[in-house]
């Protein structure tokens, strides 16, 4: 081969890589790969992804392109690689270029990553210079989203900017053989963040915290995305104090355990559950109680599961290593307010709840709550998508105008959609107080800046009184699109299942504003992303006093007793001890008869409330979905399938109506006769599952559709979800549950964005 032929073999390619490729060790990986193949060129982070130019032997360049996707670091998620030929320049060395801030396509922000095995080993090796250093991280792990102030993702635009690297750290940063090569957020005990105890820098802060926790005190612990309130999960008195000061009713509290062996002392841990617990996202995982007396009763009263996580930062690992082995770790906030992430606010807001403060001097740029995951048949089902997941991109495939969806008023998240990619915010919370609404506004502004989105379309719920709807109305010069609540649920589930529709969508939840002015929540829709039809619904009932009945499920029980037994309803209620006073009962009866302040609702969530109270569970809801969660625990205790009760289906002009009043009557008789309540709860679940599958079968027969998506908050109930999935399959349909976003209102914004974007393309 002549020299000129060799020269012609020399090529140069420019590769643009989109996806999760920043903050996951991608550039160092590229550097090593290019060097291994003897290629020259450079790699740099830009706001539209990682751009690589490689030059050299033609076969090496194509091998590079292949191995780039095949051998990418575990945390990287490549959505797209585009390649173009460019003029070779004769460069023979490869360099990591500094980032540039040019515009266009959707930038990607990495999510926070739990401490990796190697960093954990560094922290526990006495001869390592990071021995016991609580802020150890590397290219593969550590804080990301919560410390990012702007893009591109480089140290000067993170809250690590004030910590100048020492000489030893600089050497690691520049050494391509080092795990910390070009990692942005790392440091060491010489140059990095430090621990504080009650506002003072203290070397023994962890020991002081461990001692205080062992003594039954409540300690506010600053972590990755905000403050937690911690106490010994086995100490009933400590827990009592925490609950009393925080005011959270009976809401279950998450715990953090030292290791899997500790978790196994009180929960069943399947292999799948273990994988999620130990994943880079390290969410809270709901696990079945196996030893109900191991932790204090107040951790998750009347429920069959605990929310458990493992220590996901070196700080947490070090603390749990010397503290009581399982700690309650609940968001540091006042009831339903946003998680506290600023040190000054922590002092004033948490000062009367916590006895002490364990904090540090690395600022948190973005607050972020822990994520929550359950397992359905071994598959993870997100119940809250936040730390570790937000704001990783979700492919939607719709290319419309830049869109913002503001979500709903409960479990709020919002969503930006651009170039076919959606990013969902972290968990914002319930928009029931000024603090949370303001937090939503700030978070939207931060995301707009970070992701360079200037929405042309703003999607919102149809409910005129939602705070989120009002927030959407503040945007000037945009197209506002109202999306019906359950259509949004359906669309979110479709995006999650990778379906464009039409599909059959079973949307069961608490309440959602219907197109006919009534309150929906037991809907079977035939829907695509643009439109929907209400093919079937639960028989409507009065919601006496509106909100009042949501807060007090006993009122809902009374409404169902009135519907089932007519004027004998109040007497029946007394007989089976539904805890309402005679006056309350008369008020409910009047509201139901007159319809005054008692809108019609088809909500399955409210049906669960009613039956749960009839079965002797909490008559008052101290957290959303409490009655349903308690009844699910009862049913779980008995086991499914059980023998179903009766139900009715009838065709009305506009839709199939299904009615579970026959089941309610049978349950009331069962309570009168002292039947086993767990069994009755299981039989109720079975009835609803059978009824749902039968309705779907009829709709499927009429429409020829076989894909069924399950969405809405009721499908957080795994006893119901698992059984409906089985029955759908038996009847020849394909059931789909969520896998990227929650079935509850935390996933609503994705569906709103998809609908608005699809409509904008018309
Ligand atoms: Zn690491
Ligand atoms: Zn250092
Ligand atoms: Fe909902």
């Amino acid at each position: 081969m002549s020299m000129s032929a060799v020269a012609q073999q020399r090529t140069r390619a420019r590769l643009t890589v989109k996806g999760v490729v920043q903050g996951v060790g991608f550039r160092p990986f590229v550097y090593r790969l290019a060097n291994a193949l003897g290629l020259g060129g450079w790699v740099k982070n830009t706001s539209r992804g990682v751009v690589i130019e490689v030059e050299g032997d033609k076969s090496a360049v194509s091998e590079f392109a292949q191995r780039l996707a095949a051998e990418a670091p575990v945390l990287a998620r490549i959505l797209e690689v585009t390649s173009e030929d460019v003029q070779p320049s004769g460069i023979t060395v490869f360099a990591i270029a500094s980032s540039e801030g040019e515009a266009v396509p959707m930038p990607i922000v990495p999510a926070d990553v739990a401490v990796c095995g190697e960093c954990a080993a560094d922290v526990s090796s006495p001869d390592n210079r990071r021995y016991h250093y609580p802020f150890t991280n590397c290219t593969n792990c550590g804080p990301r989203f919560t410390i990012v102030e702007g893009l591109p993702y480089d140290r000067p635009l993170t809250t690590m900017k004030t910590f100048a690297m020492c000489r030893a750290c600089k050497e690691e940063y520049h050494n391509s053989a080092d795990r910390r090569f070009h990692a942005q957020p790392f440091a060491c005990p010489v140059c990095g963040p430090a621990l504080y105890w009650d506002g003072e820098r203290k070397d023994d802060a962890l020991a002081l915290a461990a001692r205080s926790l062992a003594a039954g005190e409540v300690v506010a612990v600053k972590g990755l995305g905000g403050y937690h309130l911690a106490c010994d999960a086995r100490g009933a008195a400590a827990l009592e104090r925490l609950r009393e000061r925080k005011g959270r009713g009976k809401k279950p509290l998450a715990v953090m355990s030292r290791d899997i062996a500790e978790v196994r002392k009180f929960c069943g841990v399947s292999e799948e559950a273990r994988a999620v617990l130990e994943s880079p996202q390290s969410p809270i995982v709901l696990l079945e109680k196996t030893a109900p007396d191991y932790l204090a009763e107040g951790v998750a009263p009347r429920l069959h599961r605990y929310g458990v996580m493992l220590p996901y930062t070196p700080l947490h690992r070090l603390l749990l290593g010397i503290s009581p082995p399982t700690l309650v770790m609940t968001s540091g906030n006042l009831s339903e307010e946003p998680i506290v992430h600023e040190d000054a606010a922590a002092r004033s807001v948490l000062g009367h709840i916590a006895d002490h403060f364990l904090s540090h001097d690395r600022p948190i740029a973005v607050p972020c709550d822990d994520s929550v995951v359950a397992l359905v048949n071994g598959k993870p089902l997100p119940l809250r998508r936040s730390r570790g997941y937000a704001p990783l991109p979700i492919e939607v495939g719709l290319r419309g105008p830049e869109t913002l969806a503001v979500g709903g008023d409960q479990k709020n998240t919002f969503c930006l959609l651009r170039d076919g990619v959606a990013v969902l915010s972290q968990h914002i919370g319930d928009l029931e107080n000024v603090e949370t609404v303001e937090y939503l506004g700030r978070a939207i502004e931060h995301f707009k800046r970070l992701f360079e989105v200037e929405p042309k379309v703003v999607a919102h719920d149809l409910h005129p009184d939602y705070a989120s709807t009002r927030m959407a109305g503040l945007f000037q010069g945009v197209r506002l699109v109202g999306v019906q609540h359950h259509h949004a649920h359906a669309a979110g589930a479709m995006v999650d299942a990778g379906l464009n529709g039409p599909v059959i969508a079973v949307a069961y939840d608490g309440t959602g504003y219907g197109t006919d002015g009534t309150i929906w929540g037991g809907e079977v829709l035939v829907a695509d992303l643009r439109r929907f039809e209400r093919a079937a619904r639960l028989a409507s009932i009065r919601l006496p006093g509106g909100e009042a009945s949501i807060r007090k499920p006993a009122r809902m029980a009374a409404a169902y007793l009135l519907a089932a037994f007519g004027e004998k309803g109040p007497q029946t209620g007394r007989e089976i001890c539904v805890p309402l006073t005679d006056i309350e009962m008369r008020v409910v009866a009047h509201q139901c008869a007159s319809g005054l302040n008692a809108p019609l609702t088809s909500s399955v969530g409210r049906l669960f409330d009613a039956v749960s109270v009839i079965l002797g569970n909490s008559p008052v809801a101290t957290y959303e979905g409490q009655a349903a969660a308690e009844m699910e625990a009862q049913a779980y205790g008995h086991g499914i399938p059980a023998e179903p009760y009766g139900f009715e289906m009838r065709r009305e002009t506009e839709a199939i109506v299904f009615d579970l009043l026959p089941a309610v009557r049978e349950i009331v008789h069962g309570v009168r006769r002292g039947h086993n309540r767990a069994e009755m709860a299981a039989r109720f679940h079975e009835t609803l599952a059978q009824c749902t599958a039968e309705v779907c079968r009829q709709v499927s027969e009429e429409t020829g559709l076989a894909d069924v998506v399950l969405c809405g908050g009721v499908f957080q109930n795994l006893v119901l979800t698992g059984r409906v999935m089985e029955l759908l399959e038996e009847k020849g349909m394909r059931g789909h549950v969520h896998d990227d976003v929650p079935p509850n209102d935390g996933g609503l914004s994705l569906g709103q964005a998809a609908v608005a974007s699809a409509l904008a393309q018309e």
Side-chain angles (χ1 to χ4, degrees), residues 19-30:
V20 185
V21 285
Q22 301 190 13
V24 295
F26 196 74
R27 282 181 300 174
F29 153 72
V30 168

Side-chain angles (χ1 to χ4, degrees), residues 602-688:
S602 55
S603 165
V604 170
R606 299 291 81 81
L607 171 61
F608 263 95
D609 283 357
V611 175
S612 185
V613 172
I614 291 171
L615 287 175
N617 294 307
S618 301
V620 176
T622 60
Y623 60 91
E624 202 214 346
Q626 179 177 352
E630 290 178 1
M631 187 165 54
E632 183 190 356
Q634 276 180 320
Y636 180 84
H638 179 269
I640 279 270
E643 192 195 333
Y645 295 115
F647 59 87
E648 284 166 9
M649 284 171 64
R650 54 182 181 265
R651 168 150 290 286
E652 293 193 357
T653 35
E654 89 291 19
I656 297 168
V657 175
F658 51 98
D659 197 335
L660 274 76
L661 275 184
V664 172
R665 288 193 192 96
E666 286 188 71
I667 290 169
V668 169
H669 293 317
V671 173
R672 273 201 185 113
R673 289 183 208 115
H675 288 177
N676 180 307
R677 293 182 177 204
E679 183 183 347
M680 288 190 283
R683 292 183 66 186
F684 173 79
H685 279 75
E686 179 68 18
T687 313
L688 183 59

Side-chain angles (χ1 to χ4, degrees), residues 287-301:
L287 301 171
E288 273 79 26
K289 294 180 180 176
T290 49
D293 299 328
Y294 184 77
L295 302 183
E297 205 243 326
V299 174

Side-chain angles (χ1 to χ4, degrees), residues 129-130 164-170 172 187-192:
R129 70 188 192 90
R130 290 190 176 81
M165 278 184 189
C166 69
R167 225 191 50 222
C169 282
K170 265 190 194 140
E172 291 169 317
C188 76
V190 175
C191 64

Side-chain angles (χ1 to χ4, degrees), residues 114-120 122 136-142 179-180:
V115 57
C116 73
E118 288 164 295
C119 283
D122 286 352
T136 302
N137 59 66
C138 75
T139 315
N140 303 320
C141 76
R179 196 168 87 253
R180 296 191 174 84

Side-chain angles (χ1 to χ4, degrees), residues 485-486 489 509-511 712-713 744-745 748:
H485 192 91
H486 303 97
H489 273 308
D509 73 352
T511 52
N744 59 45
D745 286 6
L748 205 61

